[in-house]
Amino acid sequence: MDVLTQNFSLYGRGFLGTVELTAYSSLLALALGFLMASFRVSPVGPLRALGTVWVTVLRNTPLTLLFFAVLLGLPRFGLVLPFTLFAVLALGCYTSAFICEALRSGINTVPRGQGEAARSLGMSFGRTLRHVVLPQAFRAVIPPVGSTLIALAKNSAIAGAFSVTELLGTYKTLNELGYSIIWTFVWIALGYLIITLTISALFNVLEQRWGVAR
């Protein structure tokens, strides 16, 4: 317990940093994932191509490499932001590719006839997607989206290597102070467990309320 009680403020800053990083990255990932999923099912060819390229590139790029590209590459083009924002950008964009595919798989579960019926009533593609398809697809994608955001929370540990305050990075300071590395990581793991279980509980509530009955 000494590792935790004597360094509670350090753990607290790291824990809050991870929570903040996870929350902002999740919002960005959901927004971009929704946008790219819309592109991938769009009747407009260039939009479908853009969505496909986005997903293909990001899903097949190591997250660490993406961190290097964002944190070290963007400043060369004059975009200078705090490292935390760069980390949010890298995590959000990376995860959005997986959110996109989860949403697209949910969209594909909606019977084609419902979209055709909506269009026959004069509804545009955007209105059909927003009012007919997505509400039904949302119910089917709650579990995979929850799993993806749990993975995002764990992936946020990479940000510590780029001077971003987060939970895993606390081990460096504690190791320099001579604390047991085993107990240091035990408390770090507990912090991540709290975050991931909270996300899991939230999506369990959403699934019980709106999920597809099995």
Side-chain angles (χ1 to χ4, degrees):
M1 288 293 293
D2 289 346
V3 178
L4 178 64
T5 56
Q6 295 178 12
N7 300 279
F8 191 78
S9 61
L10 179 63
Y11 272 113
R13 288 194 300 273
F15 181 82
L16 291 177
T18 295
V19 170
E20 182 181 63
L21 193 56
T22 300
Y24 289 135
S25 299
S26 295
L27 291 175
L28 179 60
L30 289 170
L32 287 175
F34 168 79
L35 180 63
M36 291 302 158
S38 301
F39 284 178
R40 293 213 65 185
V41 298
S42 170
V44 181
L47 292 182
R48 288 200 308 273
L50 176 59
T52 300
V53 170
W54 180 274
V55 170
T56 302
V57 170
L58 290 176
R59 288 183 70 188
N60 294 284
T61 300
L63 181 55
T64 304
L65 180 60
L66 186 60
F67 264 89
F68 275 111
V70 171
L71 274 78
L72 302 180
L74 292 183
R76 293 178 177 271
F77 296 94
L79 184 58
V80 180
L81 298 171
F83 275 11
T84 300
L85 291 182
F86 278 132
V88 167
L89 186 61
L91 278 169
C93 290
Y94 178 79
T95 308
S96 71
F98 297 91
I99 295 290
C100 170
E101 289 302 274
L103 291 175
R104 189 169 71 93
S105 68
I107 290 172
N108 289 336
T109 65
V110 178
R112 184 186 298 271
Q114 296 197 24
E116 293 174 349
R119 288 194 293 273
S120 70
L121 294 174
M123 297 178 67
S124 65
F125 171 77
R127 291 184 63 195
T128 300
L129 191 65
R130 184 167 64 253
H131 296 295
V132 178
V133 177
L134 284 179
Q136 298 180 71
F138 170 75
R139 300 174 62 201
V141 302
I142 293 174
V145 168
S147 298
T148 301
L149 295 184
I150 287 173
L152 183 154
K154 294 183 287 187
N155 287 338
S156 67
I158 297 176
F162 297 89
S163 302
V164 177
T165 301
E166 53 80 41
L167 189 56
L168 183 61
T170 59
Y171 91 90
K172 300 175 185 177
T173 302
L174 296 175
N175 188 45
E176 292 172 356
L177 294 174
Y179 287 98
S180 169
I181 193 68
I182 295 177
W183 285 106
T184 296
F185 279 113
V186 165
W187 295 116
I188 289 174
L190 181 60
Y192 279 106
L193 187 62
I194 292 172
I195 294 171
T196 55
L197 287 180
T198 300
I199 297 173
S200 178
L202 173 61
F203 276 85
N204 282 338
V205 171
L206 293 176
E207 186 176 9
Q208 290 174 8
R209 184 166 183 178
W210 289 302
V212 176
R214 300 295 182 184

